[in-house]
Amino acid sequence: MVELLRERLPRDTVLVEETPSHRDALHARLPISGAGRFLTTGSGALGWGLPLAVGRALADGERVVCVVGDGSALYSVQALWTAARHGAPVTYLLLDNGGYGAVKALGRRIGITPVPGTEIDGIDFAALAGSFGCPADRVERPDDLPRALDRVLALGRDDGPLLLQIRVPADDSPAYEPWAR
C-alpha cells in the first residue's frame, strides 16, 4: 500500500499521517513536498489525525489525504461526522490491521503477550463512516487497491470527504525501530 501511495499521490498533496504501526514505512518512503504539506505527531498520543485532517482541509479548502490506522481512528471517529457536515475535502485511507498493532509491539517489548484489549478485528469502518454521512468504500484484496487508490486520489476540492478502508495484514514485527528490539 505504501509503495502504491508513493507512486500515485499527487505532488504537493497535504498528507496527515497517524499510523503508529506503519509510521516508519511511511516516513521512509513518502516524499515531503514542502513546508506544511506533511502533518504528524512527535508523541504517542492517539486520535488527533481524523479531526486534524478536517481542520486542515477546511482552513483553505485544499484536499487533504489522511492515512490513519484503525486503532487511531477509534479515538475520534466522530470527526467523520464533522467532515461530512462541512463537506471537508478529505480522503481518509484507513489501514485496517484488526488491532492496536503499536500497543501490541510495545507489550511484546516489555514481555506482555498477549496484550489485553488490542484485538479490534471485525469493525466495518466503511459502514461506520456511512452512518456518519461520510461516503466510504472498502478494499479487501491487494489486486483491487491500485484502482481504488486512483479513484480516491483523483477527488478534488468540491468532492467532500471519503473514507477508503484498506485491509492490511497484522504484523508482529517490532514497531519503532531501532529501540524496540
Side-chain angles (χ1 to χ4, degrees), residues 11-17 31-40 52-53 55-57 59-60 62-65:
R11 182 159 174 74
D12 295 330
T13 298
V14 174
L15 184 70
V16 173
E17 176 272 316
I32 298 171
S33 59
R37 319 268 341 137
F38 186 79
L39 306 170
T40 190
L52 173 67
R56 177 60 180 85
D60 64 5
E62 187 173 4
R63 184 137 209 109
V64 171
V65 172

Side-chain angles (χ1 to χ4, degrees), residues 46-90:
L46 294 176
W48 53 269
L50 295 178
L52 173 67
V54 173
R56 177 60 180 85
L58 292 176
D60 64 5
E62 187 173 4
R63 184 137 209 109
V64 171
V65 172
C66 177
V67 182
V68 63
D70 53 346
S72 295
L74 287 176
Y75 281 84
S76 58
V77 71
Q78 66 274 18
L80 298 175
W81 181 90
T82 305
R85 290 304 173 268
H86 294 282
V90 180

Side-chain angles (χ1 to χ4, degrees), residues 17-48:
E17 176 272 316
E18 187 184 5
T19 60
S21 298
H22 307 284
R23 178 164 289 141
D24 290 344
L26 281 163
H27 287 205
R29 291 179 178 88
L30 291 182
I32 298 171
S33 59
R37 319 268 341 137
F38 186 79
L39 306 170
T40 190
T41 185
S43 71
L46 294 176
W48 53 269

Side-chain angles (χ1 to χ4, degrees):
M1 193 307 260
V2 174
E3 290 305 319
L4 286 172
L5 186 59
R6 177 186 174 113
E7 293 168 8
R8 288 166 160 77
L9 190 67
R11 182 159 174 74
D12 295 330
T13 298
V14 174
L15 184 70
V16 173
E17 176 272 316
E18 187 184 5
T19 60
S21 298
H22 307 284
R23 178 164 289 141
D24 290 344
L26 281 163
H27 287 205
R29 291 179 178 88
L30 291 182
I32 298 171
S33 59
R37 319 268 341 137
F38 186 79
L39 306 170
T40 190
T41 185
S43 71
L46 294 176
W48 53 269
L50 295 178
L52 173 67
V54 173
R56 177 60 180 85
L58 292 176
D60 64 5
E62 187 173 4
R63 184 137 209 109
V64 171
V65 172
C66 177
V67 182
V68 63
D70 53 346
S72 295
L74 287 176
Y75 281 84
S76 58
V77 71
Q78 66 274 18
L80 298 175
W81 181 90
T82 305
R85 290 304 173 268
H86 294 282
V90 180
T91 299
Y92 292 105
L93 303 177
L94 187 141
L95 305 182
D96 178 3
N97 65 3
Y100 292 102
V103 175
K104 288 182 209 177
L106 290 173
R108 284 191 304 274
R109 181 174 183 266
I110 61 173
I112 300 172
T113 54
V115 179
T118 57
E119 299 296 326
I120 55 172
D121 199 23
I123 297 174
D124 188 340
F125 285 95
L128 184 58
S131 75
F132 285 121
C134 178
D137 202 355
R138 169 183 311 102
V139 173
E140 298 282 341
R141 299 173 338 127
D143 292 345
D144 297 332
L145 185 57
R147 189 171 45 98
L149 270 180
D150 288 343
R151 184 177 57 80
V152 301
L153 293 176
L155 295 172
R157 290 176 178 246
D158 298 326
D159 291 320
L162 182 131
L163 181 137
L164 180 63
Q165 179 180 355
I166 304 167
R167 185 70 179 154
V168 297
D171 183 0
D172 287 338
S173 65
Y176 310 114
E177 290 288 347
W179 61 265
R181 292 181 195 251

